[in-house]
Amino acid sequence: MGESRAAIRGGGMATIYDVARLANVSAKTVSRVLNEDGPVGPRTRQAVQEAIAQLGYVPSNAARMMRSNRSGLVGLITGAITAAQEPTHPAGLPDLLIVQGIQRVMADQDMTLMVADTGGRADRIPRLVRTFLEHRAEGLIYVADYHQRVRLPPVAGSTPLVLANCFDDAGTPAVLPDDRRGQHDLVARIAAAGHRRIAYLTLREDMVATSLRSLGYRDALAEAGLPFDPRLVQVAYLSDGEEDSRILVEAIDRLLELPDPPTVLCCGNDAMAMRVYGILRSRGVRVPEDMSVAGYDNHRIIAETLYPPLTTVELPYRDMGQRAAERLLACISGQGRDEPTPTLVSGPVLWRASVTDRPAANPRHISFNGRSEP
């Protein structure tokens, strides 16, 4: 090994042939050392390893990839990076938590996750898909920021695609939150605590989650033997703007003015529940003494810091990410690629102090001015 590193490399990147010359062996012997796929004597192996270290040689995986058709790469497309705002703001959290769940599974399987952000522009998705395919990604995952129907460009060739937090009309494998079960479990638990007038302040009516949760709400009422009263269901969210504040205030006022008002308000998400606390208190209605409040999502920075802490349902974002990763790995191995049924993932009800028990023998009426009346 008398030749210098500079003489061997000539100032460029070292190759397997440079290593072979410096170690005084064949390139095939170097390949055997790198791939551990053939017999090599200990002294020869040491010479090759010393040459690699001296030259700073970095093996290329290109040839191995061509032979095995495996790259160990998975592409993920999301809008989480540009959507995320301040760390304390709930926006962007679903995407990021799903990505964390995917990363955990891929790391355990020694797969490398390549993440690309759409920048909030759907027209970038086809180019990102092509880029991942050019890098020989073995599979792709698309993560949406909320439960929705999507339309993605077809993926060329046989590369599998899995959707997380979304679905399409083509039957692409998908992992979704079980919104119907989540709302059912929450309302069933509230009914078991003695509440008989359970209101539901919904998100936009055109959202997939709203239609599914409304079904779960009615399922739980029916199971508890409680009649469905359409006056107790109020749309209270449109676009997260100033108009929403007016809509939410008016919805709450309509509920409080009912001859038989609710004893609990179930909110479409935890951010809405936080605003409901303030509106109720501005009207002299105490939480939970006069009115119980429940949320949805379990955004812990909201649910655990409100006073009283918020009863809510966890949207299992990390679990969804893990299940999406597991489903993609199964598709890569040739299993379940033709299974169109979405994987539904449910989360637990987190029972906290914002919902109080209501003994059936001692009902109270909440008048519009907030006073409790027998």
Side-chain angles (χ1 to χ4, degrees):
M1 298 177 63
E3 296 181 74
S4 70
R5 175 176 177 174
I8 290 289
R9 296 183 58 184
M13 181 177 293
T15 69
I16 192 172
Y17 301 102
D18 296 329
V19 174
R21 284 196 298 272
L22 186 58
N24 198 27
V25 297
S26 68
K28 185 174 182 179
T29 298
V30 176
S31 177
R32 287 175 176 171
V33 173
L34 293 172
N35 298 318
E36 298 182 352
D37 60 358
V40 178
R43 296 181 64 177
T44 301
R45 182 180 301 276
Q46 182 178 354
V48 170
Q49 292 171 341
E50 289 176 354
I52 289 172
Q54 182 175 338
L55 293 173
Y57 171 68
V58 178
S60 170
N61 286 327
R64 186 182 302 117
M65 288 164 50
M66 291 296 292
R67 289 195 302 270
S68 67
N69 202 30
R70 297 292 303 273
S71 65
L73 302 176
V74 167
L76 186 147
I77 300 173
T78 178
I81 299 171
T82 50
Q85 301 176 22
E86 294 297 323
T88 57
H89 195 284
L93 281 177
D95 308 53
L96 290 173
L97 295 176
I98 292 172
V99 171
Q100 289 175 1
I102 294 169
Q103 168 61 25
R104 180 178 302 173
V105 173
M106 293 303 173
D108 288 344
Q109 296 298 316
D110 292 327
M111 302 286 283
T112 299
L113 189 66
M114 302 185 295
V115 180
D117 190 270
T118 63
R121 291 177 50 185
D123 60 339
R124 292 181 176 177
I125 295 175
R127 179 173 59 82
L128 295 176
V129 170
R130 287 196 302 272
T131 299
F132 283 139
L133 295 181
E134 289 168 359
H135 285 78
R136 301 180 61 81
E138 295 185 44
L140 302 175
I141 300 177
Y142 177 80
V143 179
D145 56 347
Y146 64 92
H147 189 171
Q148 59 187 282
R149 176 183 277 105
V150 297
R151 180 180 295 176
L152 300 181
V155 177
S158 58
T159 305
L161 168 68
V162 169
L163 306 177
N165 211 24
C166 58
F167 61 97
D168 62 14
D169 293 328
T172 301
V175 176
L176 302 170
D178 195 343
D179 282 300
R180 183 170 184 170
R181 177 177 174 181
Q183 193 71 45
H184 165 273
D185 291 351
L186 174 64
V187 174
R189 178 66 178 83
I190 291 171
H195 291 267
R196 295 296 176 263
R197 297 286 287 170
I198 303 171
Y200 180 25
L201 297 167
T202 78
L203 302 176
R204 293 197 323 263
E205 290 182 292
D206 63 338
M207 296 180 71
V208 174
T210 298
S211 61
L212 291 172
R213 293 179 194 175
S214 295
L215 291 172
Y217 168 79
R218 297 188 66 161
D219 291 343
L221 291 180
E223 289 178 11
L226 301 176
F228 171 71
D229 184 347
R231 297 174 301 171
L232 293 179
V233 179
Q234 300 283 335
V235 178
Y237 172 91
L238 292 179
S239 60
D240 204 23
E242 291 184 5
E243 181 73 3
D244 277 341
S245 296
R246 179 184 63 80
I247 292 171
L248 181 57
V249 168
E250 292 177 353
I252 291 174
D253 286 347
R254 283 193 296 270
L255 292 170
L256 293 177
E257 290 171 342
L258 289 174
D260 188 9
T263 59
V264 58
L265 304 179
C266 294
C267 302
N269 58 32
D270 295 344
M272 182 192 294
M274 179 172 60
R275 296 161 72 181
V276 167
Y277 271 45
I279 295 169
L280 290 175
R281 285 167 177 162
S282 73
R283 280 148 174 72
V285 179
R286 299 170 299 169
V287 178
E289 293 87 353
D290 300 325
M291 181 70 72
S292 293
V293 178
Y296 206 106
D297 289 350
N298 194 34
H299 280 314
R300 295 179 60 184
I301 197 166
I302 295 176
E304 294 181 358
T305 57
L306 279 173
Y307 183 79
L310 181 66
T311 291
T312 187
V313 181
E314 175 152 352
L315 266 176
Y317 294 126
R318 285 193 179 88
D319 288 346
M320 288 167 56
Q322 292 177 9
R323 296 290 291 276
E326 291 166 357
R327 188 152 186 182
L328 181 65
L329 291 174
C331 290
I332 291 173
S333 68
Q335 303 174 10
R337 296 189 64 166
D338 298 325
E339 174 54 58
T341 305
T343 299
L344 298 180
V345 185
S346 60
V349 173
L350 286 304
W351 194 258
R352 301 188 178 105
S354 67
V355 179
T356 186
D357 290 344
R358 291 187 62 84
N362 186 29
R364 290 184 298 171
H365 173 73
I366 307 300
S367 66
F368 181 61
N369 62 15
R371 291 194 300 270
S372 300
E373 300 176 354

